[in-house]
Amino acid sequence: MSASLAFVFPGQGSQSLGMLAELAARYPLILDTFEEASKALGYNLWELTQQGPEAELNQTDKTQPAILTASIALWRLWLAEGGARPAYVAGHSLGEYSALVAAGSMSLGDAVKLVERRGQLMQEAVPAGQGAMAAILGLEDAAVLGACAEAAQGEVVSAVNFNSPGQVVIAGSVAAVQRAMDLCKTAGAKRAMPLPVSVPSHCELMRPAAERFADSVAMIDWKAPQIPLVQNVSAAVVSDLDRLKSDLLKQLYMPVRWVESIQALAANGATQLVECGPGKVLAGLNKRCADGVTTYNLNTPDAFAATLAALA
């Protein structure tokens, strides 16, 4: 184990058609992992990630198992190729489930079915077209929170992802999100951009989904994490299983405290981070969250080899 090493797992938005194709051509373990997930789900997940249709891959109940499986395929490959075990794991939103699989808290088969259900419940909680999310760039957190409070007017809008200093995502009902975007621009935000998502994640509109999701979470065969895990809701290491499950449900309607999570890792000496998943979304965020943090990637053969060489 490397005391300075933490693995961080990405959430939705990291998916793309053809993801991990080059790595799969070289390492059968990638395809084996997707086959294991496909058996649990009852459809060919690898085929969906490679051939689409893209609109289907981008449906949240398909996106979530796809990213989780890709992340765990890379995690398994890292260990198989002699990579060091990290001192900590963390995941951004959906990525928390990947982190839980990596930490040994649940099996891949259970996890993909769990996040498929999570996606279905999130979609059902808010009818299409009624919820929205937007990224606010270049504004202090306090100003974003103030804009949301002013914009609500009896509807839901709140800051839901504290991704990096100066990058906050808001979510809620369509009209309230639009009002908050306008207020943020007036307050001096560099940009306020609607996000192309089908559900307003991590806001109060998702509480009904969390209540319905509780049964699914309770049915999993849980084990205590074998690697300390920093959770989104608390931005702290949680080892108590009941608290961990409770925070996992709260995560559906409470903010992702990513800045504080990265700062918690750094404060514990984990400054070498590996983004274990498709894409490079977290690498761009992490460097702005805490001084002295370096994020490596595993998403291509070259990136994988370079990371393995750097951290061997």
Side-chain angles (χ1 to χ4, degrees):
M1 188 196 81
S2 172
S4 64
L5 185 62
F7 266 54
V8 292
F9 297 85
Q12 292 194 75
S14 290
Q15 75 277 12
S16 61
L17 275 184
M19 61 186 184
L20 304 196
E22 287 180 84
L23 279 159
R26 195 172 298 188
Y27 301 106
L29 185 56
I30 302 284
L31 294 175
D32 293 346
T33 304
F34 271 86
E35 190 172 335
E36 186 182 330
S38 297
K39 281 180 181 168
L41 293 165
Y43 65 89
N44 191 326
L45 184 61
W46 179 252
E47 191 174 279
L48 176 62
T49 63
Q50 300 306 301
Q51 298 168 22
E54 192 169 17
E56 189 177 340
L57 178 61
N58 289 338
Q59 288 171 17
T60 190
D61 61 328
K62 298 288 196 297
T63 307
Q64 295 194 34
I67 293 173
L68 186 147
T69 304
S71 297
I72 295 307
L74 290 170
W75 166 253
R76 290 176 174 179
L77 184 61
W78 173 261
L79 295 178
E81 292 297 306
R85 287 180 73 82
Y88 296 92
V89 292
H92 188 287
S93 186
L94 161 74
E96 194 158 278
Y97 291 81
S98 307
L100 284 162
V101 176
S105 283
M106 67 174 92
S107 70
L108 174 63
D110 280 346
V112 290
K113 287 188 285 189
L114 193 61
V115 300
E116 178 184 52
R117 183 65 180 145
R118 180 177 182 263
Q120 290 165 349
L121 292 171
M122 289 168 71
Q123 200 71 66
E124 289 167 12
V126 180
Q130 292 190 17
M133 297 182 78
I136 310 300
L137 306 183
L139 204 58
E140 294 285 333
D141 291 357
V144 178
L145 292 168
C148 288
E150 188 180 336
Q153 297 176 23
E155 293 185 299
V156 171
V157 60
S158 57
V160 296
N161 289 4
F162 295 92
N163 285 334
S164 67
Q167 190 193 122
V168 179
V169 173
I170 63 173
S173 53
V174 172
V177 168
Q178 185 59 56
R179 287 193 296 270
M181 286 169 65
D182 293 341
L183 287 167
C184 286
K185 286 178 192 168
T186 303
K190 289 177 185 170
R191 295 179 77 184
M193 307 179 296
L195 297 177
V197 293
S198 55
V199 288
S201 303
H202 306 294
C203 74
E204 192 61 30
L205 296 174
M206 286 293 127
R207 192 183 284 265
E211 289 165 0
R212 294 176 63 199
F213 192 44
D215 287 345
S216 302
V217 168
M219 286 166 61
I220 293 292
D221 178 21
W222 286 86
K223 295 179 177 62
Q226 292 160 16
I227 303 170
L229 180 134
V230 175
Q231 278 197 290
N232 289 178
V233 166
S234 61
V237 172
V238 175
S239 53
D240 176 75
L241 267 182
D242 288 335
R243 165 86 185 279
L244 196 145
K245 288 186 266 190
S246 162
D247 282 358
L248 207 57
L249 292 173
K250 289 178 185 172
Q251 191 227 61
L252 274 167
Y253 59 86
M254 290 180 71
V256 173
R257 294 164 62 185
W258 193 247
V259 175
E260 291 170 273
S261 296
I262 297 301
Q263 289 170 349
L265 291 172
N268 283 304
T271 54
Q272 294 181 306
L273 310 184
V274 175
E275 180 170 359
C276 190
K280 294 192 286 190
V281 172
L282 298 181
L285 301 178
N286 295 346
K287 64 187 175 192
R288 298 198 292 275
C289 293
D291 291 336
V293 164
T294 304
T295 303
Y296 301 86
N297 292 94
L298 301 176
N299 59 323
T300 65
D302 286 350
F304 191 97
T307 299
L308 203 56
L311 299 176

